[in-house]
Amino acid sequence: MLEDEQRLSIDKYFDSIKEYNDQKLIETDISTSVIESIIKSAGTAPSGANQQPWTYVIIEDKGKKQRILNTVKHPNTCSKNYSYLIALFKQNYGLVEKDGSEAKIKHYYPQESTSLSAGFLLAAFQYVGIKIELLPVEQSLRKELNRSSNEVPFLLIGIDNKSIHDDVLQLAENYFNVINRRRSTRKYSSQKFNKELLQKAIQCTNTILGYYVNEISCELMIVDSEEKKQQIRTRAEANEKRLYEELITDEWRRALKPLKTDWRKQHLTDAPYLLVVFFKKGAHSELVDSKTLAGIATGIMIQTVHRIGLSTLTYTPSPMQFLNEILTKPISNIPFMVLPIGFCASDYEPPHITRKSLQQYLVKI
Ligand SMILES: Cc1cc2nc3c(=O)[nH]c(=O)nc-3n(C[C@H](O)[C@H](O)[C@H](O)COP(=O)(O)O)c2cc1C
């Protein structure tokens, strides 16, 4: 994509985000296929070791919806006539059948991964023009929806039969066709692009977030200094070397094997920009804590840069506190993730991995 095209594309996207709030809602028959298509898009989010540790539940059953809403402490919720509720669960660990009994599989970064998927979900609803409401999540949701012990209630959403567009299924499919092409990129071309594009992408992200929370308790910080990028790479690689050579468990090594990664993190200096995401310690709104919000913001940001032809990688150095030092951030700001952002190198081959099918992570009630 040329820079002029990128600029036009992000401006158009920003206008559509503002429209989402301003335009009049029309009664639209929102079929389950639309909701499924949107959840299919959410399922394309990056995840630690490609484990996709999430379950989505679409609740259409009247009695079930009412029982759930009765437990939700939120003004006016009980009287709301949502056509659907969507519950998102984080799978803290995986469960597989082994020798006739259930065995646990360790999940890597389930909270971060699930919040990215939630970000993709909210961005897809915005794109399609369907208004949604975030509702407080009660732990009783697991029992009410018969979910198993590895699944933790993460997000609850109410949906009306209202939209700002009438062709919602087509829009949902269009959104999926674009986002489904996103891949994590570990090799970047040296081609530069204007920082304003990233600033605008952050504006898009914060505007979408602002529809759901009053206070944005996370920050997306652009790093363009070559010196700082090099410092981040040096510190990250020192930790990675120790991880790959000393600390890594066999199980973890097996989980990472298909990705063909090692301790070298060349992308941290090759990409023209790094985006470092921080969240505020202890801050949380009525609906989501600040770490989850940081993940949702990162998810929205990833899909925004993807739509203007840029690539990224959700990289989680471990430990991450050195980022506060290099970027002179007070320790009340906790680093969440580092995303190199740039054009994908023409010779980059993403690893051959597959995503779960919708049926593997969707339940309908
Ligand atoms: C929380 C989190 C941490 C990740 N950490 C790394 C990482 O350290 N190195 C890496 O190469 N990829 C990392 N990834 C990217 C995943 O490996 C990638 O999303 C997954 O394999 C699926 O591939 P895709 O993003 O191309 O669909 C991470 C993803 C998430 C969500």
Side-chain angles (χ1 to χ4, degrees):
M1 217 185 235
L2 298 171
E3 193 164 322
D4 280 352
E5 285 177 83
Q6 287 181 306
R7 213 179 276 276
L8 268 178
S9 171
I10 193 101
D11 285 346
K12 206 169 141 207
Y13 185 47
F14 187 55
D15 288 344
S16 83
I17 292 170
K18 285 189 295 180
E19 222 177 53
Y20 182 61
N21 212 28
D22 302 340
Q23 276 215 355
K24 270 213 147 47
L25 292 172
I26 46 176
E27 288 287 333
T28 319
D29 179 24
I30 298 169
S31 64
T32 329
S33 317
V34 175
I35 307 293
E36 282 180 25
S37 178
I38 287 172
I39 292 176
K40 203 165 56 164
S41 290
T44 67
S47 59
N50 192 33
Q51 289 174 318
Q52 294 162 262
W54 47 70
T55 307
Y56 281 88
V57 185
I58 303 177
I59 307 132
E60 214 179 340
D61 178 87
K62 250 186 161 169
K64 204 53 123 184
K65 278 189 293 188
Q66 199 51 57
R67 272 200 300 283
I68 292 170
L69 291 176
N70 286 344
T71 66
V72 168
K73 299 174 199 80
H74 198 251
N76 305 328
T77 307
C78 288
S79 57
K80 278 274 174 127
N81 202 5
Y82 297 112
S83 43
Y84 302 94
L85 292 178
I86 298 177
L88 167 59
F89 288 82
K90 163 185 69 148
Q91 298 173 356
N92 268 346
Y93 51 90
L95 285 174
V96 287
E97 182 98 358
K98 202 176 170 192
D99 307 328
S101 59
E102 268 188 341
K104 286 183 184 178
I105 293 188
K106 185 169 169 51
H107 274 169
Y108 299 93
Y109 300 108
Q111 177 171 7
E112 289 81 351
S113 306
T114 308
S115 55
L116 295 180
S117 179
F120 273 39
L121 185 83
L122 297 193
F125 272 116
Q126 179 281 322
Y127 182 86
V128 170
I130 295 175
K131 285 287 172 77
I132 59 170
E133 254 178 272
L134 278 194
L135 304 170
V137 182
E138 304 294 334
Q139 290 310 306
S140 55
L141 208 52
R142 170 162 60 200
K143 203 163 166 218
E144 184 62 56
L145 294 173
N146 258 331
R147 303 312 309 156
S148 57
S149 56
N150 63 331
E151 294 171 308
V152 179
F154 198 76
L155 210 69
L156 182 65
I157 288 173
I159 299 165
D160 283 328
N161 264 331
K162 290 194 185 111
S163 162
I164 58 173
H165 306 297
D166 53 10
D167 52 348
V168 283
L169 182 57
Q170 186 58 55
L171 286 168
E173 284 299 309
N174 293 351
Y175 185 87
F176 174 73
N177 290 333
V178 172
I179 199 66
N180 192 34
R181 290 199 293 269
R182 181 212 59 82
R183 290 301 311 271
S184 291
T185 295
R186 298 173 180 85
K187 193 172 177 196
Y188 292 84
S189 90
S190 55
Q191 191 184 340
K192 303 263 184 280
F193 64 92
N194 198 315
K195 187 166 145 181
E196 277 174 25
L197 287 170
L198 277 192
Q199 289 163 333
K200 194 83 192 226
I202 293 175
Q203 208 182 351
C204 290
T205 301
N206 286 339
T207 309
I208 295 180
L209 281 185
Y211 293 145
Y212 305 107
V213 292
N214 295 328
E215 198 202 327
I216 299 180
S217 53
C218 58
E219 186 193 343
L220 308 174
M221 180 182 189
I222 301 172
V223 179
D224 58 356
S225 142
E226 294 302 326
E227 191 192 339
K228 293 228 180 289
K229 286 193 311 182
Q230 183 58 59
Q231 285 172 6
I232 291 174
R233 178 175 171 186
T234 304
R235 294 287 294 271
E237 284 186 333
N239 292 338
E240 293 283 350
K241 208 160 190 297
R242 217 175 136 232
L243 170 73
Y244 276 89
E245 289 173 2
E246 296 169 36
L247 305 175
I248 197 164
T249 60
D250 287 346
E251 191 182 16
W252 198 348
R253 202 182 285 284
R254 272 197 302 277
L256 292 181
K257 197 171 175 213
L259 306 179
K260 299 194 172 81
T261 52
D262 61 26
W263 62 268
R264 289 175 198 85
K265 301 296 164 194
Q266 201 178 329
H267 45 76
L268 294 175
T269 44
D270 285 358
Y273 302 98
L274 297 181
L275 189 81
V276 182
V277 184
F278 290 93
F279 64 93
K280 291 234 162 59
K281 195 176 181 173
H284 56 88
S285 78
E286 186 193 1
L287 300 169
V288 279
D289 61 73
S290 57
K291 185 173 180 183
T292 301
L293 194 71
I296 292 176
T298 309
I300 297 173
M301 185 70 187
I302 293 170
Q303 64 83 42
T304 306
V305 297
H306 172 71
R307 68 177 50 254
I308 54 170
L310 296 169
S311 292
T312 187
L313 173 73
T314 39
Y315 173 55
T316 42
S318 175
M320 285 200 238
Q321 286 71 19
F322 69 85
L323 292 163
N324 291 76
E325 221 178 282
I326 295 173
L327 301 172
T328 56
K329 275 273 173 200
I331 52 165
S332 53
N333 292 261
I334 303 177
F336 177 75
M337 222 170 246
V338 178
L339 295 99
I341 303 185
F343 288 98
C344 182
S346 56
D347 61 347
Y348 177 63
E349 275 252 0
H352 297 286
I353 49 177
T354 51
R355 292 185 178 134
K356 287 180 182 170
S357 68
L358 183 64
Q359 288 69 29
Q360 287 174 287
Y361 62 89
L362 175 68
V363 176
K364 289 188 276 184
I365 295 177

